[in-house]
Amino acid sequence: MALGLSAGTGTAWALDEVSYGTNWLAQAEHGGFYQAVADGTYEKHGLKVTIIQGGPNAANRSLLIAGKVDFYMGGPLGDMDAVKQGIPLVSVASIFQKDPQVLLAHPDAGVDKFADLAKLDTIFMGKEGYVTYFEWMKKNFPDFKEEQYKPYTFNPAPFIADKKSAQQGYLTSEPYEIEKQAGWAPKVFLLADAGYNPYSTMITTTQTMLDSKPDVVQRFVDATIEGWYSYLYGDNKAANDLIKKDNPEMTDGQIAFSIAKMKEYGIIESGDAMDKGIGCITDARYKTFFDEMVKIGVEPADLDYKKAYSTKFVCKGVGMNLKK
């Protein structure tokens, strides 16, 4: 055990070192984590935190499973898959109450509501969307058809060229890039607002970590939540500088767009988070999504999905006093 005096006497306790692996390159959607590093919030909670950036060739989830990182930016489908495989991963907070997944349409294609997307000839989407939310769309909106699907290659050019198409995207990124390239803003349809609403940008850890260091888990969750309030409502320049250092291709314009959209659509603050604080997970909300996945055949009805998450670390109103 490290020995030390209280911070008030000038000597602080030794910091617990932990790491958090993100699921993509540094961006505003990771801003609260970077904020808590940049402004000393993690240190205030007795932590020295290293953010390990994700990306096309990163394997941060595998590193979590192997015990090489302490926390990972997971999600409920990955967590439930882990339960099926007997891998003891547990999500302890959900920074995003709404998944930012969107479908985009041309502004003059006669698409005014989510169901109107079924009138289009083509929907470009990746394979993960095809086996999850496209199945959900066909189940809940009978006019969507299998033949609309075309693989999305993460190049918006086919969508831009075809007025009778839609394209998957992330609320905080693709609309910005398409407007830059095409000169017009696409219509945006958030899947969460249409009813497909998994938690997203979670703090996922291992059962071993929960059993051996629950205090570290709680401090990491609390500090991260405070970091998110400060990022959204305080001075976030230092955090954005760290984001651009990790990801030099990130621009101030993209960051500003992402923050504005996260606020406008209630990505971080909506639902239970409005009165219980950022990061909240509830049994009722998780069950609703699980039941939807059972209905479309993505998850087995007998899955012990409650092993995938814990509610004990969140929904306590932490950091709400920082909201301005």
Side-chain angles (χ1 to χ4, degrees):
M1 177 182 289
L3 297 177
L5 303 174
S6 70
T9 67
T11 304
W13 291 91
L15 300 176
D16 291 302
E17 295 191 24
V18 297
S19 52
Y20 182 72
T22 68
N23 61 3
W24 195 245
L25 299 171
Q27 53 191 314
E29 295 90 324
H30 307 162
F33 299 95
Y34 281 92
Q35 181 80 12
V37 171
D39 69 6
T41 297
Y42 284 132
E43 286 196 16
K44 186 184 75 175
H45 285 265
L47 301 172
K48 180 181 180 182
V49 174
T50 301
I51 297 174
I52 300 174
Q53 183 178 217
N57 301 311
N60 284 342
R61 184 175 183 270
S62 296
L63 292 177
L64 174 69
I65 294 169
K68 303 296 186 184
V69 300
D70 300 298
F71 300 97
Y72 172 66
M73 189 176 284
L77 288 172
D79 293 343
M80 287 189 274
D81 282 345
V83 173
K84 282 187 283 194
Q85 297 166 30
I87 301 170
L89 300 185
V90 183
S91 284
V92 295
S94 184
I95 302 303
F96 287 3
Q97 294 295 301
K98 293 182 181 181
D99 189 285
Q101 190 69 56
V102 295
L103 291 174
L104 307 172
H106 283 242
D108 53 353
V111 178
D112 298 313
K113 57 184 185 296
F114 188 85
D116 292 340
L117 292 163
K119 297 187 287 188
L120 299 174
D121 294 340
T122 301
I123 301 176
F124 295 103
M125 65 176 70
K127 60 182 180 181
E128 289 186 5
Y130 174 70
V131 299
T132 55
Y133 59 77
F134 192 48
E135 287 300 315
W136 175 86
M137 288 159 59
K138 289 185 291 182
K139 191 84 170 181
N140 290 276
F141 298 87
D143 293 331
F144 285 106
K145 303 175 292 294
E146 182 71 22
E147 49 267 33
Q148 288 179 285
Y149 166 73
K150 282 189 181 177
Y152 175 48
T153 61
F154 297 89
N155 174 5
F159 163 69
I160 291 172
D162 183 357
K163 184 176 175 179
K164 293 185 177 181
S165 72
Q167 178 200 290
Q168 76 165 49
Y170 226 48
L171 170 71
T172 45
S173 54
E174 274 82 359
Y176 179 80
E177 186 60 31
I178 286 168
E179 186 167 4
K180 273 176 53 181
Q181 289 189 29
W184 44 262
K187 282 197 172 180
V188 174
F189 299 91
L190 189 70
L191 280 152
D193 287 344
Y196 181 83
N197 199 15
Y199 285 122
S200 179
T201 305
M202 303 184 85
I203 297 175
T204 305
T205 190
T206 61
Q207 188 63 51
T208 299
M209 186 74 168
L210 289 185
D211 293 340
S212 63
K213 299 180 180 178
D215 63 310
V216 172
V217 175
Q218 186 68 71
R219 284 185 279 132
F220 181 76
V221 168
D222 289 349
T224 300
I225 291 168
E226 290 179 15
W228 270 104
Y229 279 112
S230 296
Y231 186 73
L232 293 174
Y233 299 107
D235 181 356
N236 57 22
K237 182 182 183 304
N240 291 334
D241 287 345
L242 286 181
I243 288 170
K244 289 183 289 183
K245 182 181 178 183
D246 271 2
N247 181 10
E249 295 185 4
M250 184 54 59
T251 65
D252 289 331
Q254 175 66 76
I255 288 172
F257 179 88
S258 296
I259 293 171
K261 291 303 176 184
M262 287 191 289
K263 289 182 175 180
E264 177 186 348
Y265 282 80
I267 297 299
I268 297 167
E269 291 183 285
S270 57
D272 298 308
M274 295 303 293
D275 59 353
K276 296 182 176 73
I278 288 173
C280 192
I281 299 175
T282 66
D283 290 316
R285 167 75 187 280
Y286 210 107
K287 183 179 188 303
T288 296
F289 181 69
F290 171 70
D291 288 345
E292 287 287 345
M293 293 303 95
V294 171
K295 192 189 303 182
I296 64 173
V298 170
E299 301 295 349
D302 62 351
L303 182 71
D304 189 2
Y305 71 94
K306 290 188 176 182
K307 287 183 176 179
Y309 69 97
S310 171
T311 62
K312 69 180 288 187
F313 298 94
V314 287
C315 309
K316 303 175 184 180
V318 168
M320 295 183 75
N321 59 306
L322 299 172
K323 185 173 178 178
K324 301 167 185 175

